[in-house]
Structures are given as structure tokens and as C-alpha cells.
Amino acid sequence: MDLAYIPSPSTGVLHLGPVPLRAYAFCIIIGVFVAVWIGNKRWIARGGKAGTVADIAVWAVPFGLVGGRLYHVITDYQLYFSEGEDWVDAFKIWEGGLGIWGAIALGAVGAWIGARRRGIPLPAYADAIAPGIALAQAIGRWGNWFNQELYGKETTLPWGLEISAGANREEGIYHPTFLYESLWCIGVALLVIWADRRFRMGHGRAFALYVAAYCAGRGWIEYMRVDEAHHILGLRLNVWTAIVVFVLAVAYIVISSRLRPGREEIVEPDKDKPAGEGKGAGAIDDALGADGDVDDDAEGEAGTARREAVTGEPDDAPANGTESAAKG
């Protein structure tokens, strides 16, 4: 039966000479690339330009990393500022410890800055990137597997996770909560993609659906974990956070659907298009009736405009011959 258990890596670090390559960091980086790639495809499909998602991610990702680390350090301050702990460890992000709540919150601030610089609505961008964020989380959770952290209660299930003895952990077989959350996030991504196609969600509602669906899963997964955490009324802090954020996300979907139904028609203005471009084609189209016949009045107006453009004179100016005759 032991052969069926999920083994944990003996180390989460590979050394390329003197340079350490940390699996946790690689999982985060790969997740970011996947999120940007999927977000770019969805943004283009909604009428945006290629590269816009990556340009805004340049702002969102650093803000998100800082926010995620701040949330973790603040909510688990005892790991860094208690007696016998080294506060410098709070900066060692490669050892794990990113709070998704802080990452999304501060990442949204960075995305808002990037979106404002590009002149596009942040809700539309959030809708495009939402499934990619869920998949990025699914990939990032495997970093916890390499670090042997954030596992659940002990279990005898065949898919239990083998944890070796180490600092702040005991050897045993535990629920692989990292795997549960990874699979849940994949399901969330698929749900958002399906719902967005089925209901044409706009104005941030696809992103809100991602948030609500993730919180629903995070609540029961968090309840299974056994790592040290603060408790309020018998529940872990992150469980309460998931409940509150879930309610807010659902409320946003309901209120937004009533105030701003439908989806944005234009998500990114074409700043490179000169003002007035395309008006000539519109005038020609207007000169044609619905059945393709020429409208006499419109044809006359179009002809007048063309003659004025060529001669540089008003259409009512007398012809050269007539003018000469008048002068004679």
C-alpha cells in the first residue's frame, strides 16, 4: 500500500554550480507565463491588442508578489518575529510563503496602474486574465510540494502525501492539500471559460466568478490543513477571509449584472488610428441604398465633395468659360 502514496521530493533546490535553482520560484514563474499567455489570447479575442496583457502584467506581477508576501508575513508574524526567530527570514520568499489574498489585492493595484497608462478599463482586463490566474495558482501550488509544506491532516488514503521529518514538521502520511487546491484551481479556470462563453460576462463579472469559485474551494481545503495559523471563533483566519471574499464576489456579480448588463463593446481604443479615418468609406457606403443602388442625393453630395477636393474651389463657383465670358 505504501507504494501508492505520493512521495515528496527530497529537496526543492538544484544547484547549477554555485547558483541555486529553487523549484518553488520556478513554479511561480511558469504560472505567471501561463497566465499572461492565456490572458493575451482572451484579450485579443475580445478586441484588444496583442501585448497589452504582458505590458500590464509588468506592473501587476511585482505588486502581487509584494502583496502576497506582506499578507503572509503579517498573518504569520510569529514565524519571523517571535523569540528565537530571525526577522531576516521574512525576506526569503524562495522558501515559500505567499498569501493569495494579498497577491490579488495588491496585484490589482498594479494592474490598475498599468491599465490606466494604456487607457483601458480594468474590469475588462480582469475578465480576460481571470482563468489564467487560476491556472497560475494551480501550477504555483506544486512549489509547496517541493517545499513539503501546507499539507493536511494525517490520512490512510492511498493518495496520501509522504512527509519526511524536518523543521516544524513530523514524518507521516498526510492529505495532499496542495494537490487538492491545484485540481480545484484547474476546475475554476474551466468554469470561468465556460461561463464567459455561455453568458458573455463583462464588466469584471468573469473575474468575480473566479474569485467566488476559488473561495468556495479554499474554504474546505484550508479547513483540512494542520500548519500553524491564527484562529477566530474556532476557524482559521484564511477560512474567514474566504467566506468574506466569497460573499463580496457574489454580491458584485448580482449588482453589476443589474447596473451594467452585457459585455463591453470596446475594450481597448485604437490610438494609432488617425481621427476621421474611414469617413470617406462611410460616405461611399451611405451613397448606396440597401439594395446596392445609387442614391441620387447621396451621389450628388459625394460628387460635389470630390470636385471640391480636386479643384480647390466651391462647387457653386462659375466654370472658367462662363467667368471669362462674363468678364468680356
Side-chain angles (χ1 to χ4, degrees), residues 10-308:
S10 58
T11 179
V13 184
L14 297 176
H15 288 85
L16 185 62
V19 180
L21 304 177
R22 302 183 183 276
Y24 183 87
F26 271 107
C27 290
I28 298 297
I29 293 172
I30 294 172
V32 169
F33 274 103
V34 169
V36 171
W37 177 68
I38 294 177
N40 183 65
K41 286 184 172 294
R42 286 173 52 82
W43 183 251
I44 294 174
R46 294 190 62 175
K49 298 180 181 178
T52 296
V53 169
D55 291 344
I56 297 177
V58 170
W59 289 89
V61 172
F63 273 74
L65 290 175
V66 172
R69 189 59 175 179
L70 281 175
Y71 182 90
H72 169 72
V73 171
I74 291 173
T75 56
D76 290 309
Y77 62 88
Q78 71 281 355
L79 300 177
Y80 307 100
F81 302 104
S82 298
E83 185 177 354
E85 303 292 345
D86 187 355
W87 63 271
V88 176
D89 292 341
F91 297 96
K92 296 179 179 179
I93 192 172
W94 56 86
E95 293 184 355
L98 288 174
I100 186 61
W101 316 111
I104 294 297
L106 208 55
V109 174
W112 176 80
I113 295 174
R116 186 177 178 84
R117 290 169 60 89
R118 292 296 295 256
I120 65 175
L122 178 60
Y125 176 83
D127 285 341
I129 201 71
I133 295 177
L135 290 177
Q137 290 177 245
I139 296 171
R141 274 304 176 202
W142 286 85
N144 302 132
W145 177 57
F146 281 99
N147 286 352
Q148 297 196 51
E149 60 185 1
L150 306 187
Y151 44 86
K153 302 173 183 178
E154 288 189 287
T155 181
T156 57
L157 293 172
W159 58 83
L161 176 65
E162 290 184 308
I163 295 295
S164 60
N168 300 319
R169 66 174 187 255
E170 297 182 1
E171 182 179 1
I173 307 297
Y174 300 88
H175 276 284
T177 49
F178 86 90
L179 179 60
Y180 299 161
E181 186 167 338
S182 180
L183 294 175
W184 183 269
C185 287
I186 293 174
V188 169
L190 295 176
L191 171 65
V192 174
I193 292 173
W194 171 82
D196 195 24
R197 289 179 178 177
R198 175 65 177 81
F199 303 105
R200 292 184 56 81
M201 306 180 78
H203 302 287
R205 289 187 287 275
F207 183 82
L209 175 61
Y210 144 72
V211 172
Y214 172 74
C215 289
R218 179 62 184 267
W220 66 266
I221 293 172
E222 183 75 22
Y223 186 76
M224 297 177 65
R225 283 167 47 172
V226 294
D227 53 298
E228 186 176 358
H230 296 287
H231 287 72
I232 300 176
L233 300 178
L235 293 178
R236 292 165 66 95
L237 174 61
N238 282 332
V239 174
W240 282 111
T241 304
I243 293 173
V244 172
V245 176
F246 172 84
V247 172
L248 293 176
V250 172
Y252 178 87
I253 293 174
V254 174
I255 296 174
S256 175
S257 298
R258 294 179 178 178
L259 296 180
R260 307 187 70 182
R263 176 187 286 183
E264 302 92 338
E265 294 184 1
I266 300 176
V267 297
E268 186 169 7
D270 190 354
K271 296 182 179 180
D272 298 330
K273 186 175 181 179
E277 182 180 342
K279 290 183 178 179
I284 294 174
D285 291 339
D286 291 341
L288 297 177
D291 55 358
D293 293 334
V294 177
D295 181 278
D296 294 337
D297 294 337
E299 182 187 20
E301 294 177 2
T304 298
R306 286 194 293 271
R307 285 193 296 273
E308 291 180 359

